[in-house]
Amino acid sequence: MEWLTAPFEVTFVQRALWGGILVSAICALAGTWVVLRGMAFLGDAMSHGLLPGVALAALLGGNLMVGAVASAAVMTAGVTALGRTPRLSQDTGIGLLFVGMLSLGVIIVSRSQSFAVDLTGFLFGDVLAVRQQDLLVLAAALLAALVVSVLGHRAFLALAFDERKAHTLGLRPRLAHAVLLGLLGLAIVASFHIVGTLLVLGLLIAPPAAALPWARSVRGVMALAALLGATATFGGLLLSWHLSTAAGATVAALAVSLFFLSHVLSGLRNRRARHAPAPAPVLEVN
C-alpha cells in the first residue's frame, strides 16, 4: 500500500496530480470533438504552432502562456481563413500553417544559444514543476472550456455529424467551427506546459478515442475520457516515481496504452456478442 501512496505524499507530486486531472478534463471536452470530427492532424499542427509565440516570449522575458495564446490565436485565425478558400483543401492549409509556424519558431530559437533548456521543456513538458498559480490557471481554463462546451454543444454536435443540416438549422457552422478551434487552442495552451507539445495529443486524443466504444452519448464520451485521463495521470506519476522515468512522457504513454487496451477489449466484446447464441423465445402466459 505504501508503494501506491508514498509518491503522493510529496507536495510537488500532489500538484502534478491535480494539474494532470485538470488538464485531462479540459482535453476531454475538446478532444472528444477532435476525435469525432477526425481532426487529429489539426490538433498536432496547432500544438506545434505554439512554438513561435513561446520562443518569442522566452527571448523577450515575457510570460510563456501569453506567447502560447498569441500563437494559438494566429493558428485558429489562419485555419479558419484558409478553410474558406474553395480551391484549397483544409489539410493543405493546415499543413502549410504547420510548417510555416514551426519554421518561424525554429528561426526564433536559433537566434538564442540559451534557449535549449526552455525548448526541451516546451517539447516534453515538466509535469512535476506545476505551481499553485498554474493550478489556478488550469481551473479557470476548465471553467471556460465548460462554458464553451455547454453553449456550443448543439452546434458542435450538428457540425460533427452533418454540416449541411447545421446550416439548415441556422446553427452557423462556420462560426461553430471557429469556436471549436478556439476550444482546441484553449486545451492545447493549457496543456503544453504540463506534458509538452510533442505529448499533448496523448491526453487530447487517446482518452476520448478509448472512451468511444463504451459510451452511448457525446457527454458520456467526455466524462469517461476525463476519467481515463485522470487514471493515466495517476498511473503515469506512480510509474514515473518508482521507475525514474520522465513523468509527462509516462503519463502520455499510459494514456495511449489505455486506448489500445480499450479497443482490444471492445473487439473481444464484439466477437463474443457475434458468437453468442440467440436468446430463446419467451412464451407469455395469459
Side-chain angles (χ1 to χ4, degrees), residues 32-33 36-37 148-166 169 171 173 176-177 180 216-219 221-222:
T32 297
W33 299 114
L36 290 176
R37 296 201 64 202
V148 172
S149 298
V150 170
L151 295 179
H153 182 80
R154 185 164 175 259
F156 295 161
L157 194 63
L159 188 65
F161 294 103
D162 193 339
E163 186 171 345
R164 289 177 298 180
K165 187 174 182 180
L169 293 173
L171 296 176
H177 182 68
L180 185 56
R216 296 186 177 182
S217 67
V218 172
R219 290 187 178 91
V221 173
M222 290 178 176

Side-chain angles (χ1 to χ4, degrees), residues 116-129:
V117 175
D118 294 325
L119 179 59
T120 301
F122 170 79
L123 293 174
F124 300 105
D126 190 0
V127 67
L128 297 178

Side-chain angles (χ1 to χ4, degrees), residues 8 17 230-240 250-251 254:
F8 302 100
L17 177 61
T231 301
T233 299
F234 178 85
L237 290 173
L238 184 66
L239 291 174
S240 171
T250 307
V251 169
L254 187 56

Side-chain angles (χ1 to χ4, degrees), residues 186-247:
L186 174 65
I188 292 172
V189 168
S191 306
F192 88 92
H193 68 298
I194 302 296
V195 294
T197 59
L198 290 179
L199 303 173
V200 68
L201 287 183
L203 289 179
L204 188 67
I205 304 297
L212 207 56
W214 306 97
R216 296 186 177 182
S217 67
V218 172
R219 290 187 178 91
V221 173
M222 290 178 176
L224 184 53
L227 179 61
L228 290 172
T231 301
T233 299
F234 178 85
L237 290 173
L238 184 66
L239 291 174
S240 171
W241 177 273
H242 290 291
L243 301 178
S244 300
T245 57

